[in-house]
Amino acid sequence: MHFQNNPKPQAKLLYCIKGRGIDYAVDLRRDSPTFLKWVCVELSEENRKQIFIPKGFGHVFISLEDNTKNVMRIDESFDSHKQA
């Protein structure tokens, strides 16, 4: 599971450009009414679905085919000192 805490939390937009995979996202915000609730979506080059992962959520992408490639657009730079 990947997420980045304060002071540089990240929002992410993911989609798949080759193959297919599943992305799971879970709410890790302790003060949220949806704390620990999760969703998953199959992403593929065929279905062209995207998933937006808000700040405070963790996520994991699982490839379902060899040579799967996904794109992750983020709104904040990687902070190596605040890894989770």
Side-chain angles (χ1 to χ4, degrees):
M1 176 113 354
H2 173 264
F3 68 100
Q4 185 163 294
N5 278 330
N6 293 324
K8 291 184 169 185
Q10 293 175 327
K12 303 166 194 75
L13 178 68
L14 276 86
Y15 54 95
C16 190
I17 59 173
K18 182 176 181 190
R20 67 188 182 100
I22 294 179
D23 199 282
Y24 290 86
V26 62
D27 186 355
L28 299 174
R29 302 167 299 174
R30 292 189 186 275
D31 60 345
S32 171
T34 58
F35 179 59
L36 296 182
K37 301 266 190 214
W38 57 274
V39 297
C40 71
V41 62
E42 183 174 324
L43 306 173
S44 72
E45 67 181 308
E46 288 182 6
N47 71 19
R48 300 176 62 144
K49 289 185 179 179
Q50 301 178 16
I51 184 171
F52 176 75
I53 301 167
K55 293 179 183 197
F57 279 61
H59 85 102
V60 62
F61 181 83
I62 301 169
S63 175
L64 298 175
E65 294 180 3
D66 290 341
N67 302 312
T68 294
K69 294 181 183 177
N70 66 341
V71 175
M72 180 170 61
R73 297 185 182 266
I74 58 174
D75 71 341
E76 183 61 67
S77 61
F78 177 72
D79 183 359
S80 64
H81 301 304
K82 289 288 184 182
Q83 291 186 48

